[in-house]
Amino acid sequence: MRVNMQQSEIPTPDCLISLENVTKRFPGVLALDNCRFDLMRGEVHALMGENGAGKSTLMKVLAGVYPKDSGEIRMEGLPVEIPTPRAAQALGIGIIHQELNLMNHLSAAQNIFIGREPRGRYGLFLDEEALNRQTKAIFERMRLDLDPSTLVSELTVAKQQMVEIAKALSFDSRVLIMDEPTAALNNAEIEDLFRIIRQLQSHGVGIIYISHKMDELRQISNRVTVMRDGKYIATVPTATTSMETIIGMMVGRQLDSDGGSQAMPDTSANDVVLEVKGLQRGSLVKDVSFNLRKGEILGFAGLMGAGRTEVARAVFGADRVDAGEIRVHGAKVAIKSPRDAVAHGIGYLSEDRKHFGLATGLDVKTNVAMSSMNRFLTQGLFLDQAAIRATAQDFVRQLSIKTPSVEQPVRLLSGGNQQKIVIAKWLLRDCDILFFDEPTRGIDVGAKSEIYKLLNTLAEQGKAIVMISSELPEVLRMSHRILVMCEGRITGELSAAEASQEKIMQLATQREEKRDDQRAAQAA
């Protein structure tokens, strides 16, 4: 694949920001490996890559959230250090995170100038009139019809996003970082956002735009930089580069040599153990239907915000749903809470194991027994500690959990061993249906291999597994079938034999309007 890699190599007088050879390490992880990026005045520069590619880490370095370990940042040609977010703001660098950071009980104006409010006589009292006047001036610059005194809680998500942009502009930002800015917006709201972006461009503001939505990038960006596995891959002009080329750069790594190429056993004739029909939860889960068979690993793929975790939480009863039907072994069931799900043989291993899967301050044996305490009660009152200890020791042996003893606090174990304890907890509960949400996130390669073997063993024993993963090689390696989601909907199903990284990425970026256009073209 030949791409133009010269786009960002020669700084020009119009270059606002350039990053060269930026490296960032976390314990056990090389998050950024000699990365580069540059932004021109009045440019929208898209930053793309799979989940975990390093995009957000690079932007957090630029925004002063993380200190870089090495490399150089230049602003308008001069080297700068950005040790804190305040330092970034002083340089005119603003960031709008995907998760909006506003206080609902305050007005739009109060959110924009919090900590910097204009004061009245003697500096004792806030000058609300001046506060609203200054905010109105920013809104007028943005051509935004919004009352500065409106409480944030009364605003739509789109308007809240505009308040965040206004807050960044109040610092006279010359560089604006937008992380998935349209994730919760409808088409009309997206057009409004694009209008403001183009207006900012006309005033020389440079915008770094992180998104997975290819059609949006075609509309709004001038250049695209692709990252993969913490490395800079290339910078290409948007107008003359095909979506297939960009996807190819995003997913260019090879599958692990010890997996992904073997033929998966056919499970299509196995009994259906879980059937989900018409699952709906606001705009996060839209009419999702699927089935899961005994002995099958069903992969759920998609980009950040696609709705995969929301589906799992809805089936498990962790989140209330608006509509839908769930059947377990053919029988319709009502799952209103996780307790109901567990009673029907469904277990859920959250992507955030430390907050939702483990009590990290307690020891190994207690965590293993946590979801099955009733079976260890004697006379209905007292816990049989000897039985709990023996059961935990059995699982430590079976799963090769590395711990000095079952009395060891879980917080002192590695991520891989913590994950095995969560698995042990649900195996002890003897769940037939298991949702694994990002089962190998944050664990090393050796532990990953052990988790893979364990999942395959469970499937061979007849357990039915849904595996949610952002790592495409992992999905391809482990799944008998793959469902792909985009913006709350299932956009396609692939068998193990036909699946590829490119096909998954195409489905993962297939938005609803795009599908409507395709249907219309087919009908014509």
Side-chain angles (χ1 to χ4, degrees):
M1 183 189 311
R2 184 178 291 273
V3 295
N4 182 4
M5 294 195 185
Q6 306 302 314
Q7 297 290 321
S8 63
E9 292 184 1
I10 305 173
T12 73
D14 286 328
C15 186
L16 273 175
I17 284 281
S18 65
L19 296 88
E20 291 291 335
N21 301 318
V22 171
T23 296
K24 178 63 183 174
R25 291 181 175 83
F26 297 104
V29 178
L30 180 59
L32 298 175
D33 185 4
N34 288 302
C35 288
R36 62 182 305 162
F37 185 85
D38 70 63
L39 178 69
M40 302 298 170
R41 204 181 313 275
E43 174 189 40
V44 176
H45 193 151
L47 183 58
M48 297 195 70
E50 291 184 86
N51 299 341
K55 308 183 298 294
S56 293
T57 302
L58 186 64
M59 290 302 100
K60 285 178 179 177
V61 167
L62 180 57
V65 178
Y66 296 149
K68 59 182 171 57
D69 294 330
S70 62
E72 184 177 63
I73 302 175
R74 288 179 172 266
M75 191 154 193
E76 296 182 322
L78 299 176
V80 294
E81 291 297 326
I82 311 178
T84 64
R86 187 178 293 274
Q89 289 173 348
L91 288 168
I93 300 169
I95 184 168
I96 300 169
H97 297 281
Q98 186 175 1
E99 299 295 329
L100 299 181
N101 189 27
L102 298 172
M103 284 168 275
N104 289 335
H105 65 288
L106 299 181
S107 71
Q110 289 166 341
N111 268 279
I112 289 170
F113 285 100
I114 191 162
R116 304 175 293 136
E117 300 90 345
R119 300 277 173 172
R121 186 174 296 179
Y122 309 119
L124 295 176
F125 303 102
L126 298 183
D127 188 341
E128 290 285 347
E129 185 177 336
L131 177 69
N132 289 331
R133 187 172 58 250
Q134 291 177 26
T135 302
K136 187 171 180 62
I138 298 173
F139 286 167
E140 286 175 351
R141 176 184 168 191
M142 296 169 63
R143 297 180 197 166
L144 181 61
D145 183 17
L146 181 62
D147 184 348
S149 63
T150 305
L151 291 179
V152 164
S153 60
E154 298 173 5
L155 300 178
T156 64
V157 172
K159 287 290 193 291
Q160 290 181 20
Q161 192 123 44
M162 300 308 177
V163 171
E164 285 276 26
I165 294 173
K167 185 175 181 179
L169 293 180
S170 74
F171 288 96
D172 294 325
S173 294
R174 294 176 291 163
V175 175
L176 196 55
I177 304 165
M178 294 185 172
D179 192 353
E180 296 286 354
T182 65
L185 306 188
N186 61 35
N187 290 340
E189 292 165 341
I190 290 171
E191 283 303 316
D192 204 28
L193 176 65
F194 284 1
R195 176 186 62 78
I196 289 175
I197 288 175
R198 292 187 181 105
Q199 185 184 345
L200 295 175
Q201 280 184 275
S202 70
H203 286 89
V205 177
I207 296 167
I208 302 172
Y209 193 97
I210 302 175
S211 178
H212 293 111
K213 299 175 181 177
M214 302 286 185
D215 51 338
E216 281 184 13
L217 299 182
R218 187 72 66 191
Q219 292 180 59
I220 201 67
S221 71
N222 303 103
R223 291 187 294 160
V224 177
T225 286
V226 177
M227 294 182 66
R228 187 173 71 237
D229 296 336
K231 295 183 176 68
Y232 168 86
I233 300 302
T235 299
V236 295
T238 307
T240 57
T241 307
S242 69
M243 180 165 56
E244 288 72 22
T245 298
I246 293 172
I247 290 175
M249 289 191 289
M250 288 171 63
V251 301
R253 66 177 180 267
Q254 298 297 310
L255 290 173
D256 295 336
S257 61
D258 60 340
S261 59
Q262 69 270 28
M264 299 296 288
D266 184 8
T267 59
S268 60
N270 295 7
D271 294 338
V272 173
V273 295
L274 175 68
E275 192 172 4
V276 175
K277 292 183 180 177
L279 197 65
Q280 186 84 25
R281 181 178 167 240
S283 62
L284 300 174
V285 179
K286 305 172 185 175
D287 193 27
V288 167
S289 300
F290 66 94
N291 60 48
L292 176 67
R293 298 180 179 277
K294 182 177 181 180
E296 177 181 41
I297 299 177
L298 177 63
F300 264 70
L303 299 169
M304 191 175 295
R308 299 164 301 161
T309 293
E310 287 77 8
V311 168
R313 287 179 58 86
V315 173
F316 191 61
D319 294 327
R320 188 178 298 276
V321 299
D322 302 321
E325 179 179 296
I326 298 173
R327 292 180 176 269
V328 177
H329 298 293
K332 185 177 178 180
V333 298
I335 297 178
K336 305 293 185 184
S337 68
R339 184 184 296 271
D340 294 336
V342 172
H344 290 294
I346 302 174
Y348 174 49
L349 290 81
S350 166
E351 62 178 325
D352 189 349
R353 57 181 172 266
K354 290 186 179 179
H355 284 100
F356 300 116
L358 295 167
T360 55
L362 300 180
D363 57 28
V364 170
K365 69 178 189 302
T366 304
N367 274 275
V368 170
M370 192 177 296
S371 64
S372 308
M373 283 297 186
N374 286 343
R375 71 170 62 185
F376 296 106
L377 288 174
T378 58
Q379 301 175 352
L381 293 173
F382 305 104
L383 287 173
D384 186 342
Q385 292 292 344
I388 291 175
R389 187 177 297 105
T391 300
Q393 287 170 340
D394 283 343
F395 277 109
V396 166
R397 284 192 293 271
Q398 288 177 38
L399 304 183
S400 301
I401 299 172
K402 295 179 178 64
T403 177
S405 76
V406 295
E407 315 291 339
Q408 179 84 336
V410 166
R411 71 175 184 276
L412 300 178
L413 302 185
S414 69
N417 287 300
Q418 289 179 352
Q419 186 71 301
K420 290 180 184 180
I421 291 169
V422 181
I423 295 171
K425 178 177 73 173
W426 291 115
L427 293 182
L428 176 59
R429 186 75 200 194
D430 199 25
C431 293
D432 295 325
I433 300 163
L434 292 166
F435 282 79
F436 284 79
D437 197 348
E438 301 289 358
T440 65
R441 175 172 288 171
I443 64 179
D444 60 46
V445 174
K448 277 188 180 185
S449 180
E450 293 179 4
I451 297 293
Y452 294 154
K453 290 175 183 175
L454 179 56
L455 292 182
N456 283 326
T457 299
L458 293 174
E460 290 166 4
Q461 293 172 355
K463 303 290 185 186
I465 296 169
V466 171
M467 187 187 74
I468 300 167
S469 176
S470 299
E471 296 189 28
L472 294 188
E474 182 169 273
V475 173
L476 289 165
R477 170 181 181 164
M478 296 299 298
S479 306
H480 298 89
R481 278 187 301 139
I482 298 170
L483 298 179
V484 187
M485 293 189 68
C486 178
E487 297 184 344
R489 291 182 171 86
I490 292 177
T491 52
E493 176 181 323
L494 300 167
S495 68
E498 66 183 338
S500 69
Q501 296 192 43
E502 287 74 17
K503 287 180 180 178
I504 291 174
M505 285 299 295
Q506 286 167 357
L507 291 170
T509 55
Q510 188 173 321
R511 303 175 64 202
E512 185 63 16
E513 311 88 83
K514 194 172 177 181
R515 292 197 294 276
D516 288 342
D517 293 344
Q518 289 174 345
R519 294 186 196 110
Q522 290 171 356

